[in-house]
Every structure is written in C-alpha cells, then in structure tokens.
Amino acid sequence: MVDVIVSNAKKEPELEAGTKIYEDLNDAGISSILDDRKEKKHTYGFKMGDFKLIGFPYAVVIGKKLSEGL
C-alpha cells in the first residue's frame, strides 16, 4: 500500500503529478491512495500525521521541489 501525498494540492502541477503517479501505481497493480486534500487545515504535517497513524509502509510525496525535478 502506497500513500501518494500531494503537499499542496492547490498547485496544479503538483496535483497533476500526484494524480499521474497514483494512476500509474494502480495500473501496475500496486494498491495506493491519493491524499489530495485541499482544505487549509490539511497541511503537509497533517497529511504526514495521517500517513503515520494509519501505518502505510510507503509514501510518495509531491512537493515544491517538483519544479526542480526532485
């Protein structure tokens, strides 16, 4: 199970990259979820807290370094 976390889902490039990764994982038969919550209270820290609380073994984080290719 992989949690694909979009750090700031209000930024379209980050949301698009996260959605693409999520779809590619599912197409490859890898169980995953997409955390693209946009509400102000759902900050990166909040999303990481949920990731840890639920106990996902893996996370892919899409964030501000996306534009740098990282």
Side-chain angles (χ1 to χ4, degrees):
M1 176 66 99
V2 178
D3 186 2
V4 180
I5 300 171
V6 180
S7 180
N8 186 350
K10 292 179 183 176
K11 293 185 177 179
E12 196 62 31
E14 291 180 24
L15 181 58
E16 288 175 3
T19 302
K20 172 88 168 93
I21 291 169
Y22 167 75
E23 290 170 351
D24 289 348
L25 288 169
N26 282 324
D27 289 346
I30 300 170
S31 180
S32 60
I33 67 162
L34 177 63
D35 190 346
D36 61 350
R37 294 176 284 178
K38 296 177 183 169
E39 294 81 17
K40 187 173 184 175
K41 68 179 181 177
H42 293 124
T43 62
Y44 170 74
F46 190 91
K47 293 176 184 181
M48 286 303 294
D50 283 352
F51 161 73
K52 291 177 183 177
L53 180 68
I54 295 171
F56 291 107
Y58 304 102
V60 176
V61 180
I62 314 302
K64 61 184 174 184
K65 298 263 183 174
L66 176 66
S67 63
E68 298 173 23
L70 300 173

